[in-house]
């Protein structure tokens, strides 16, 4: 176990674990990131039987798809196995430059997603009043982070080509330059910390509104799907922060590689297990009374609001359906649960 978590080292030090670990790492990247996640994205975008998803969620899936492709460049080029010919310097530098922007790209994409969820749940109109330009900038922010770190890595790699090698990582080519790795880890840690703050704020709103509903004597209906997904995401981000710290103090640890390989699996299971998606994929079964939260048209929720096509929405149209965190508003509500209006 110490070999897996602490010492990445090289093939010789990994010994008989090298090939099995490489196969596992390749499998999860290929099956979930490169094959299943694109199917999920196409389902979101093309299926008329699936509730509309917010672009920030699709953006998160796209970042993981790109990371899977970048991670498997040696595999696609027939240079993944130790018995294969050594990859060319050009291929190694290209893969290294692309991979060093993955974690920043992921973290920013998830931060943007949580920002929009928080805007809807807090009922302050942030997510509903986003202009087209701001929306495009926020959706493009993950790729800006990716490009910045990739360009920095490319410049350093071209100046220090001897420091770009597969021996440093074994699974893929990497640059042996700790200052850049530390900068990437610090940036990712700060963004993940912001995500955790948003999640904690979200949980606080849930708790306060639950107490308010209880005091007013209204029925509390908890959307378990929403809560489970929030918990899974929170655990996932906490784990990412831990892995980030490990990578700073142990540059050769296997933990970051295993985390990135499994990340796409978590995203696919969290969002691919939603009721309407499963209903589309299980096409041989007859449609039943599947409850997808939220269901009514124009009801508050991040899965069915078109923020791009109508950026100038009239917020007064939502004043009666957006939950308010204040007990006074709940006391004059329409008898609906605060939790029932949250996204899946």
């Amino acid at each position: 176990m110490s070999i897996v978590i602490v010492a990445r080292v090289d093939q010789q030090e990994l010994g008989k674990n090298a090939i099995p670990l490489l196969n596992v790492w390749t499998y999860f990247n290929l099956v979930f990131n490169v094959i299943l996640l694109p199917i999920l994205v196409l389902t979101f975008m093309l299926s008329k039987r699936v509730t509309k998803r917010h672009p920030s969620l699709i953006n998160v899936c796209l970042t993981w798809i790109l990371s899977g492709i970048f991670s498997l460049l040696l595999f696609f080029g027939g240079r993944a196995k130790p018995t294969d010919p050594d990859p060319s310097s050009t291929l190694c530098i290209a893969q290294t430059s692309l991979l060093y922007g993955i974690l920043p790209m992921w973290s920013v994409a998830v931060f943007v997603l949580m920002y929009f969820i928080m805007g809807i749940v807090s009922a302050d109109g942030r997510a509903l009043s986003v202009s087209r330009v701001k929306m495009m900038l926020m959706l493009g922010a993950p790729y800006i982070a990716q490009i910045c770190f990739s360009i920095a890595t490319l410049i350093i790699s071209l100046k220090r080509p001897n420091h770009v090698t597969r021996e440093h990582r074994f699974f893929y080519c990497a640059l042996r330059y700790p200052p850049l790795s530390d900068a990437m880890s610090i940036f990712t840690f700060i963004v993940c910390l912001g995500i955790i703050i948003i999640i904690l704020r979200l949980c606080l709103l849930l708790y306060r509104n639950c107490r308010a509903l209880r005091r007013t004597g209204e029925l509390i209906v908890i959307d378990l799907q929403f809560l489970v997904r929030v918990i899974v995401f929170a655990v996932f981000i906490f784990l990412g922060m831990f892995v980030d710290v490990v990578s700073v103090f142990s540059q050769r640890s296997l933990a970051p590689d295993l985390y990135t390989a499994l990340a796409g699996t978590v995203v696919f299971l969290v969002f691919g297990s939603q009721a309407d998606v499963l209903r589309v994929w299980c096409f041989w079964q007859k449609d039943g009374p599947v409850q997808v939260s939220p269901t009514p048209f124009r009801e508050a929720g991040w899965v069915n609001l078109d923020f791009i096509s109508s950026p100038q929405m009239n917020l007064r149209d939502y004043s009666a359906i957006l939950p308010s965190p204040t007990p006074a508003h709940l006391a004059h509500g329409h008898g609906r649960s605060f939790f029932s209006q949250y996204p899946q």
Side-chain angles (χ1 to χ4, degrees):
M1 187 66 178
S2 60
I3 290 181
V4 174
I5 300 300
V6 178
R8 173 197 312 276
V9 295
D10 53 24
Q11 180 187 359
Q12 182 178 359
E13 293 175 317
L14 285 174
K16 62 181 181 180
N17 295 319
I19 301 302
L21 286 173
L22 176 62
N23 292 336
V24 170
W25 183 82
T26 302
Y27 172 83
F28 280 100
N29 272 297
L30 180 63
V31 173
F32 288 94
N33 291 355
V34 179
I35 298 177
L36 293 181
L37 276 180
I39 294 176
L40 179 61
V41 170
L42 291 176
T43 303
F44 286 158
M45 298 178 65
L46 302 180
S47 178
K48 297 180 179 179
R49 301 169 60 195
V50 172
T51 308
K52 185 177 180 62
R53 260 56 177 188
H54 191 272
S56 59
L57 170 59
I58 298 177
N59 214 34
V60 168
C61 296
L62 290 176
T63 59
W64 261 277
I65 294 173
L66 290 177
S67 71
I69 296 174
F70 298 161
S71 299
L72 295 179
L73 286 183
L74 294 184
F75 174 80
F76 295 140
R79 299 292 188 270
K81 297 180 180 179
T83 55
D84 294 331
D86 292 335
S88 64
S89 176
T90 302
L91 178 59
C92 257
I93 291 177
Q95 184 182 46
T96 300
S97 301
L98 293 172
L99 286 178
Y100 268 68
I102 283 182
L103 289 180
M105 178 176 63
W106 280 358
S107 58
V108 175
V110 175
F111 180 87
V112 172
L113 172 63
M114 298 307 299
Y115 171 85
F116 280 111
I117 294 178
M118 190 68 237
I120 293 174
V121 171
S122 62
D124 60 3
R126 283 201 308 267
L128 299 178
S129 60
V130 175
S131 66
R132 188 186 302 268
V133 174
K134 185 177 180 180
M135 172 67 73
M136 297 306 297
L137 288 175
M138 296 187 71
L139 294 179
Y143 308 104
I144 294 175
Q146 163 77 43
I147 292 173
C148 290
F149 278 93
S150 293
I151 291 177
T153 306
L154 177 61
I155 293 174
I156 297 174
S157 298
L158 292 176
K159 291 182 178 180
R160 304 167 180 261
N162 294 333
H163 290 197
V164 181
T165 174
R166 185 180 178 181
E167 296 178 359
H168 182 48
R169 294 297 191 187
F170 177 64
F171 293 150
Y172 50 84
C173 295
L175 172 65
R176 190 186 297 272
Y177 191 73
L180 180 61
S181 301
D182 293 343
M184 178 186 65
S185 298
I186 293 173
F187 176 88
T188 304
F189 182 86
I190 293 174
V191 178
C192 288
L193 188 61
I195 296 172
I196 294 298
I197 292 175
I198 294 178
I199 293 177
L200 293 177
R201 170 66 176 167
L202 189 61
C203 293
L204 181 61
L205 283 176
L206 289 172
Y207 174 73
R208 287 179 176 177
N209 282 271
C210 181
R211 291 185 59 187
L213 287 171
R214 186 175 301 170
R215 285 197 298 266
T216 58
E218 296 189 40
L219 178 64
I220 300 176
V221 181
I222 300 178
D223 189 341
L224 291 179
Q225 291 189 22
F226 170 71
L227 292 180
V228 169
R229 285 176 171 82
V230 169
I231 292 173
V232 170
F233 244 104
V235 173
F236 177 69
I237 298 301
F238 271 118
L239 179 60
M241 295 178 68
F242 170 76
V243 170
D244 210 38
V245 173
V246 170
S247 65
V248 172
F249 293 98
S250 180
Q251 293 287 333
R252 306 179 71 189
S253 171
L254 271 179
D257 293 338
L258 298 179
Y259 176 82
T260 55
L262 294 173
T265 306
V266 174
V267 174
F268 177 80
L269 293 178
V270 168
F271 298 111
S273 60
Q274 292 174 305
D276 56 339
V277 175
L278 294 177
R279 182 174 50 180
V280 171
W281 289 347
C282 300
F283 57 87
W284 59 88
Q285 296 183 356
K286 294 183 179 180
D287 291 346
V290 180
Q291 177 71 21
V292 180
S293 174
T295 50
F297 178 68
R298 292 177 64 84
E299 182 171 339
W302 64 291
V303 296
N304 63 347
L305 290 177
D306 188 352
F307 296 108
I308 293 183
S309 61
S310 54
Q312 304 299 331
M313 287 184 176
N314 188 351
L315 298 182
R316 290 177 297 179
D317 295 340
Y318 293 90
S319 60
I321 56 178
L322 282 173
S324 171
T326 61
H329 180 85
L330 290 170
H332 296 84
H334 303 285
R336 297 199 304 168
S337 167
F338 174 82
F339 294 93
S340 65
Q341 303 178 57
Y342 285 135
Q344 293 188 54

